[in-house]
Amino acid sequence: MSLALFLPYAKLIAVFTLMLLGMRCRLGLGLSVLLGSLCIALLFGCSVPDWLRLAGGVFQDSVILTVWGVVALVLALSALMESSGQAERFMNALSLRVSSPAARLVFFPILIGLLPMPGGAVFSAPMITAVTKNLHVPEVDKSLVNYWFRHVAELSWPLYPAVILAASFAGISTALLGVWTFPLTLACFGVGWLFLIRPLSMPAAMTAAATSEEGRWSNILRQGAPIFISLAGALLLEAVFACTSIPMDYGILFALAAGLLCCLRQNGLGIGDFCRTLVRPHVLKMLFMIGALGVFKNVLSQGGVAQSIIDAGSGDAAIWLLATVLSALMGLLTGMLVACVGAVAPLLLVMVESAYGPGHAMPWLTLCMISGAAGYMASPLHICFVLSCQYFKVDMATAWRRMPLPALAYWLCGFVYFLLLWKLTS
């Protein structure tokens, strides 16, 4: 590749490096991405007024507006269920239906993982402690089990910001993306079971009080009603809207609003409680980050960046680099899947369509997501890893040394799945 052809890639790599440095210097993901979008715009010939126009475009972008709404409702629902105690009641009721100690050990982090709350590992950690009270499970194993299984569903669960963002970029529903990526959830569970659960020595069964009032299915359905309404409503409304001119993404918005109203009513809460959750720092940071990622996407697609990369040639090599190495590095260095999806997926999808034509996006988007997921699961910067280690008072270096191998096995499973998808869609 000549110097002239390599130049666009060099600019792109420089910008990603600056963004990662910004995050390392505690500027935060949102501000780092926003400054990165300005740098990349200037490097590819856009003026500051052009960048401001592209940045302002996020407020007219129906995709970003929808993602803002969905993420705000999801985080509000998670916060209200947690603060009202409904989430804990739901977990306790469901746990009474599980008798296997090994199943109970993974049950709570998986279940808590269905609520995309920041630092949710702290929420499931006390439950891990309770489950293992009479079992001889080392603290480091408790920490790793709590950490790993909390993220089993993150690539396919339609309430996660990364899934919402990836689906919006690909122009499909979150439910359909979840179908595509569900095998990766099974792979994550299988790898975690193989590396973290099988080596433990535990009894075959424990007593489960499923016949108690708390463990009745009616109570489980009542305590989990906001989640069930949100998920079932989203699947139903997206299917209905797909047959109309109404955007499918509105389905999950309406369903989440219904689930939120159910939560408010069940716990005697009001609109004021809902509004207070929206101004919590982590919610505002997440919304700002999504806006910054929207600006970055606009600069890539409308600022001539994607076209410059495509014109540089070597499309196959660039696509592989984006979907594997760059995605994994973004996950590893940020500890966040949404950073990988938001920064890498828009350019990747444009390049895939240019190189292979329409209809080939999903295998590459899947590879991008599994690479990012494997990277952030092996990341010592992952907030859930840090919090889990702190809760169980284990040395982070000792715990982290056990993470790269499962993360690599997870990625290899995803790569095999990518090859299968690529064969099916080619």
Side-chain angles (χ1 to χ4, degrees), residues 144 147 379-380 382-389 396 399-400 403:
L144 294 178
Y147 168 58
S379 174
H382 195 145
I383 185 63
C384 287
F385 176 76
V386 174
L387 293 175
S388 194
C389 288
M396 285 183 58
W400 181 78
M403 279 292 97

Side-chain angles (χ1 to χ4, degrees), residues 234-301:
L235 294 174
L236 176 63
L237 290 176
E238 284 187 343
V240 170
F241 290 170
C243 303
T244 69
S245 59
I246 303 175
M248 286 190 301
D249 290 342
Y250 286 10
I252 192 169
L253 273 174
F254 293 146
L256 282 168
L260 189 64
L261 288 173
C262 175
C263 178
L264 293 173
R265 182 176 178 81
Q266 284 183 318
N267 294 286
L269 302 174
I271 297 300
D273 298 287
F274 163 66
C275 293
R276 280 189 287 274
T277 65
L278 295 181
V279 295
R280 289 185 175 185
H282 77 269
V283 175
L284 296 177
K285 286 180 181 178
M286 179 67 76
L287 296 178
F288 175 67
M289 179 190 65
I290 289 171
L293 291 170
V295 174
F296 194 82
K297 177 180 74 76
N298 286 352
V299 171
L300 289 176
S301 58

Side-chain angles (χ1 to χ4, degrees), residues 1-18 40 43-44 309 312 321:
M1 186 186 298
S2 69
L3 181 61
L5 293 178
F6 179 73
L7 189 57
Y9 296 101
K11 293 177 181 178
L12 191 64
I13 293 170
V15 169
F16 273 104
T17 302
L18 287 173
I40 202 170
L43 286 172
F44 281 86
I309 297 292
L321 179 69

Side-chain angles (χ1 to χ4, degrees), residues 14 99-100 115 125 150 173 208 210 234 268 277 287 302 311 315 339 346 351 353 356 395 403 410 421:
S99 61
S100 164
L115 294 172
R150 156 132 177 77
S173 69
T277 65
L287 296 178
Q302 302 174 37
D311 292 342
M351 295 184 67
E353 184 172 352
Y356 305 113
D395 179 61
M403 279 292 97
Y410 182 28
L421 287 182

Side-chain angles (χ1 to χ4, degrees), residues 211-228:
T211 56
S212 70
E213 184 66 29
E214 188 181 4
R216 292 184 184 278
W217 285 113
S218 58
N219 183 54
I220 292 172
L221 291 173
R222 181 170 62 254
Q223 299 300 339
I227 297 175
F228 296 142

